[in-house]
Amino acid sequence: MSSVRYPTTSLKPHREESLLGGHLWIFSGALQQAPRWVEAGGLIDVKSSTGQFVARGYYNPQTDIAIRILTHDPEEEIDAEFLRRRIRSAVALRRVFDPDITNAYRLIQSEGDGLPGLVVDRYADVLVAQVHTLGMERLWPLLLPPLLEETGAKGIVLRNDSQSRRREGLAVEEPVVVAGEVPEKVLVRENGVQFEVDPREGQKTGFFLDQRDKREALRKYTHGKRVLNCFSYTGGFSVYAALADPETHTASVDVSAPAMEAARQHFLLNDLDPGKHAFIVADVFDYLEEARRRDEQFDVVILDPPAFAKTQSARSQALKAYRRLNTLGMQVLRAGGILLSCSCSGVVGMDDLLGAISMSAQRLHRSVQLLESYTHSLDHPINLAMPETAYLKAVFCRVE
Ligand code: SAH
């Protein structure tokens, strides 16, 4: 056992199995009783009903997930050195990126990198961190030095502005620079394509890094084609599509006017003429209805909506929304066209997404070939013992 003694709690009989397999969550119902002698957010040891050490993590009495596991090793103390080891391991994985080609990626993906509740994205020399849990908030002061030292970053923005923090009993805060200097816009490269990221005001941490590999995969389908990018945000997919061929035409649609302005800038930044492309601020559902009425047809349609369901109870409504969206998308896709359809709802599985696509096709008497399927890119590693943390699903299909 480590020299530090942590408060202890016990599981109900046989509740240790998934944890021994590497799962990192303990729901309150799995505990024999509510832990005592531990503060909210404090560290705690978990024992089996027979008294064996199972894991060490942090506790929150307020959430369904009572304990999030940090280590399964009884000898491992949760201190600055522990956090540094985890950060080092995360940094080592991202060395696959050649910074001359890609210098924007997720550096720490919460459970996927063994640091539940912490997300850190890297944009060139700037890190943008999000703390999602009370337990990680308590560890945060210890995280700053190794984050700077192990990455060589010149500045860190802490973006604790996600509403999900309220569930943890945490305040929703304004973005704040906690180390070094951070410019208003950070210029980054992704697969050699340039983007400008706003680390304070952009959605999430400024950019949707989890689509990098799908953007790259898209290029081969867009030569000289008419491409419709729905939920385009700052035009990531559109820029890749347009770079494939000067004859390619893209239309980007998003409800956010600032995102659309940024999309135009991204075309300029990559020596593309925004005047030759369309940038439409609109609700995608309305836009698709109208496009269908006008009999407009595209060769490639991209559907990358926000999460339609964040909880199990919202799942069936979400499945309906995916069906409706995919039906609308297919109605403006010519026969033989390519559909890239995505879902970033954690509670919607790959089968659900494929089901929505296939039902939409059936309704329209179209047939679908599944060409490629993806989850996140490698900088969003999935802990194999926790398939429920694989939130993103994306498929390329040909629709006849
Ligand atoms: N494809 C993007 C990320 C999409 S995130 C990329 O690669 O960067 C989802 C986007 O959907 C956000 O930009 C949000 O502004 C937009 N959005 C949400 N609801 C919408 C709606 N009903 N119609 C149009 N855009 C919407």
Side-chain angles (χ1 to χ4, degrees), residues 190 195 203-204 206-212 215 229-238 253-257 259-260 280-287 302-308 342 344:
E190 184 191 82
F195 293 100
Q203 291 188 33
K204 291 236 199 127
F207 200 63
F208 289 85
L209 296 163
D210 50 9
Q211 292 289 28
R212 179 189 317 102
R215 294 193 189 107
N229 182 8
C230 298
F231 308 95
S232 65
Y233 187 49
T234 56
F237 283 111
S238 309
V253 185
D254 199 286
V255 77
S256 155
M260 203 50 67
I280 302 143
V281 177
D283 177 281
V284 161
F285 289 90
D286 295 345
Y287 174 84
I302 300 156
L303 304 173
D304 183 21
F308 286 152
C342 312
C344 58

Side-chain angles (χ1 to χ4, degrees), residues 176-386:
V176 53
V177 175
V178 288
E181 291 195 4
V182 175
E184 218 166 282
K185 295 270 174 68
V186 186
L187 185 65
V188 299
R189 285 178 295 276
E190 184 191 82
N191 296 316
V193 182
Q194 306 214 68
F195 293 100
E196 237 176 14
V197 175
D198 181 338
R200 294 176 182 83
E201 301 290 323
Q203 291 188 33
K204 291 236 199 127
T205 67
F207 200 63
F208 289 85
L209 296 163
D210 50 9
Q211 292 289 28
R212 179 189 317 102
D213 50 342
K214 278 69 74 184
R215 294 193 189 107
E216 180 70 40
L218 175 74
R219 294 188 200 230
K220 61 183 170 299
Y221 298 112
T222 62
H223 291 270
K225 303 286 197 230
R226 296 195 71 221
V227 180
L228 175 64
N229 182 8
C230 298
F231 308 95
S232 65
Y233 187 49
T234 56
F237 283 111
S238 309
V239 173
Y240 276 71
L243 282 170
D245 189 313
E247 294 303 310
T248 300
H249 179 268
T250 69
S252 305
V253 185
D254 199 286
V255 77
S256 155
M260 203 50 67
E261 194 41 50
R264 261 181 226 279
Q265 289 304 321
H266 285 154
F267 273 69
L268 288 171
L269 200 58
N270 290 282
D271 295 325
L272 294 163
D273 178 1
K276 292 189 176 157
H277 298 265
F279 300 88
I280 302 143
V281 177
D283 177 281
V284 161
F285 289 90
D286 295 345
Y287 174 84
L288 288 172
E289 296 269 11
E290 278 163 33
R292 182 190 56 189
R293 262 183 244 125
R294 290 193 303 267
D295 266 337
E296 214 170 319
Q297 294 279 286
F298 294 89
D299 306 301
V300 178
V301 171
I302 300 156
L303 304 173
D304 183 21
F308 286 152
K310 294 215 163 98
T311 56
Q312 273 298 342
S313 56
R315 194 167 164 272
S316 76
Q317 270 309 104
L319 292 181
K320 265 194 211 149
Y322 285 112
R323 284 202 290 275
R324 175 150 180 258
L325 178 63
N326 280 278
T327 303
L328 286 167
M330 279 182 208
Q331 286 174 317
V332 298
L333 183 66
R334 72 159 171 80
I338 299 291
L339 175 71
L340 166 55
S341 186
C342 312
S343 162
C344 58
S345 306
V347 294
V348 171
M350 182 61 99
D351 287 351
D352 296 322
L353 176 63
L354 292 174
I357 296 170
S358 131
M359 275 186 240
S360 304
Q362 240 174 39
R363 192 181 303 166
L364 300 172
H365 307 291
R366 315 252 320 240
S367 64
V368 180
Q369 290 168 297
L370 175 61
L371 308 179
E372 299 183 57
S373 50
Y374 291 83
T375 57
H376 324 135
S377 5
L378 67 95
D379 51 334
H380 297 63
I382 300 161
N383 174 341
L384 204 52
M386 303 182 71

